[in-house]
Amino acid sequence: MSEQTIALKAKKVEEVVEQFNVATSAVVVDARGLTVAESTDLRHQLRQEGVTLEVIKNKILVRAAEKAGYPELNDLFAGPSAVAFSNDDAVAPARILKKFADENASLEIKGGVVDGNIANLEDINKYASLPSHDGLLGQLMAEFQYPIRTFAYAVKALQEKKEAESEGTAAEQ
């Protein structure tokens, strides 16, 4: 192998290490058997959530995973591998890939890393069932609003009761 080729591969390894280090999650899949249309559709769905899907050679993935501190991932890098990286929403790749895999038997989820923790297929499926970041924030806000809303209804009921009593006293006079 020429020095130029070795330098290019070393550069690619460093790029993938950086992706592993920056990403909140990285999910490894085998996309063998997907049609061009299915692959394009999957990439489009992932891009909408800020996730990138990249097909990377296994040797490069092995070296990058080891440098990034995830040698446990090396077993996943057998056969064709693609990695979905997300820098924002840790659950988005798992959710989108799980839904897509349920609809397309050709996509196989192997495992990955979520928030710095190694995740097997079972873990990825658990993460996939979680709502998105925005969905979780919405649920949290609803929980915060409930006591305030209940208090406001109680105050309004008291106000209406007092108004009814004052109208009743005014009618008696």
Side-chain angles (χ1 to χ4, degrees):
M1 226 182 308
S2 72
E3 286 183 32
Q4 184 179 12
T5 305
I6 293 171
L8 285 173
K9 288 184 180 184
K11 181 180 177 193
K12 182 62 179 175
V13 167
E14 290 305 318
E15 288 173 5
V16 176
V17 167
E18 182 65 22
Q19 285 178 302
F20 273 120
N21 289 336
V22 171
T24 57
S25 68
V27 179
V28 182
V29 296
D30 179 351
R32 188 178 13 190
L34 288 179
T35 65
V36 173
E38 291 169 338
S39 181
T40 302
D41 182 39
L42 175 60
R43 287 176 186 270
H44 176 72
Q45 289 179 35
L46 291 167
R47 249 191 323 270
Q48 285 181 326
E49 295 286 330
V51 180
T52 59
L53 182 69
E54 191 173 345
V55 178
I56 304 169
K57 289 186 175 194
N58 288 335
K59 280 283 194 197
I60 291 173
L61 284 171
V62 167
R63 290 183 177 140
E66 287 176 359
K67 276 189 160 184
Y70 303 117
E72 300 92 342
L73 291 178
N74 290 348
D75 296 338
L76 303 179
F77 306 134
S81 299
V83 185
F85 292 101
S86 175
N87 296 344
D88 301 322
D89 188 354
V91 177
R95 188 180 63 250
I96 296 165
L97 291 169
K98 168 80 170 102
K99 181 180 175 205
F100 198 87
D102 289 345
E103 297 168 0
N104 299 283
S106 301
L107 183 69
E108 176 193 350
I109 300 172
K110 297 180 179 182
V113 178
V114 180
D115 278 334
N117 300 312
I118 302 297
N120 59 24
L121 177 60
E122 185 179 311
D123 296 332
I124 297 293
N125 288 335
K126 286 179 187 174
Y127 285 118
S129 66
L130 294 174
S132 68
H133 179 73
D134 291 340
L136 285 172
L137 287 177
Q139 288 176 0
L140 182 63
M141 291 306 298
E143 291 297 322
F144 282 141
Q145 288 178 345
Y146 178 75
I148 296 168
R149 188 177 323 130
T150 305
F151 179 72
Y153 286 143
V155 169
K156 184 176 179 185
L158 284 172
Q159 178 188 7
E160 289 173 355
K161 182 179 176 186
K162 287 196 182 227
E163 286 175 357
E165 287 175 357
S166 66
E167 287 176 7
T169 7
E172 289 175 6
Q173 294 177 358

